[in-house]
């Protein structure tokens, strides 16, 4: 079955990758055999090639080289600069929110004071209250 060969190939590639990342060698110094999936146009598997130690590998599926081109991990100072940038942005947003809320409170207080002043002036002048609608 084709899917079984594809599954086995994926497992072998994953195992080779894990071993290369962990810095381990394959058992007995040889890479694990990795069957290749069938080609879509011919329906046959790729030919196998015999290794000097007696194992065989598929010609179209060479062993995975160690992953040496991975980007380096960020240094501790890079992580702290990212944390500092986030902290700065959060503090700026909090300050902006506080300023916004203070402006709303100030406008509400001014409106209340203006309305209360109008009411007191109307009471003092003896003007009749406005009818409700």
């Amino acid at each position: 079955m084709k899917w079984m060969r594809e599954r086995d190939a994926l497992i072998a590639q994953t195992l080779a990758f894990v071993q290369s990342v962990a810095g381990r060698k394959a058992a007995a110094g040889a890479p694990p055999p990795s069957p290749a999936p069938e080609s879509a146009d011919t329906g046959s598997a790729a030919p196998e090639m015999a290794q000097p130690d007696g194992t065989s590998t598929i010609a179209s599926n060479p062993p995975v080289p160690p992953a040496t081109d991975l980007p380096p991990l960020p240094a501790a100072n890079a992580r702290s600069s990212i944390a500092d940038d986030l902290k700065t942005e959060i503090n700026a947003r909090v300050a902006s929110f506080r300023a916004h809320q203070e402006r709303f409170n100030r406008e509400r207080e001014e409106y209340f004071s203006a309305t209360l002043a109008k009411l007191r002036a109307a009471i003092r002048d003896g003007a009749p209250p406005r009818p409700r609608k």
Side-chain angles (χ1 to χ4, degrees):
M1 292 183 189
K2 181 181 175 182
W3 67 269
M4 293 176 99
R5 283 191 292 266
E6 290 177 355
R7 179 199 62 198
D8 293 339
L10 179 63
I11 291 171
Q13 288 175 349
T14 304
L15 181 62
F17 174 72
V18 168
Q19 289 174 347
S20 69
V21 170
R24 297 183 187 146
K25 301 286 184 192
S34 56
E38 294 181 7
S39 60
D41 54 334
T42 62
S44 63
E48 293 188 9
M49 296 177 64
Q51 297 292 324
D53 62 352
T55 62
S56 63
T57 60
I58 305 291
S60 65
N61 203 4
V64 178
T68 58
D69 58 341
L70 294 175
L73 293 175
N77 59 1
R79 288 182 185 161
S80 66
S81 70
I82 292 172
D84 291 342
D85 290 344
L86 287 174
K87 187 183 288 188
T88 302
E89 182 179 352
I90 290 170
N91 287 338
R93 288 183 182 210
V94 168
S96 173
F97 179 77
R98 283 184 181 155
H100 196 73
Q101 292 299 313
E102 288 173 3
R103 184 179 60 112
F104 278 143
N105 288 338
R106 190 171 47 252
E107 288 175 356
R108 188 181 313 116
E109 186 67 32
E110 289 171 1
Y111 177 77
F112 174 75
S113 297
T115 304
L116 192 58
K118 287 179 189 176
L119 180 63
R120 287 181 179 155
I123 291 173
R124 187 178 49 240
D125 295 339
R130 294 188 340 204
R132 289 189 181 187
K133 291 185 180 182

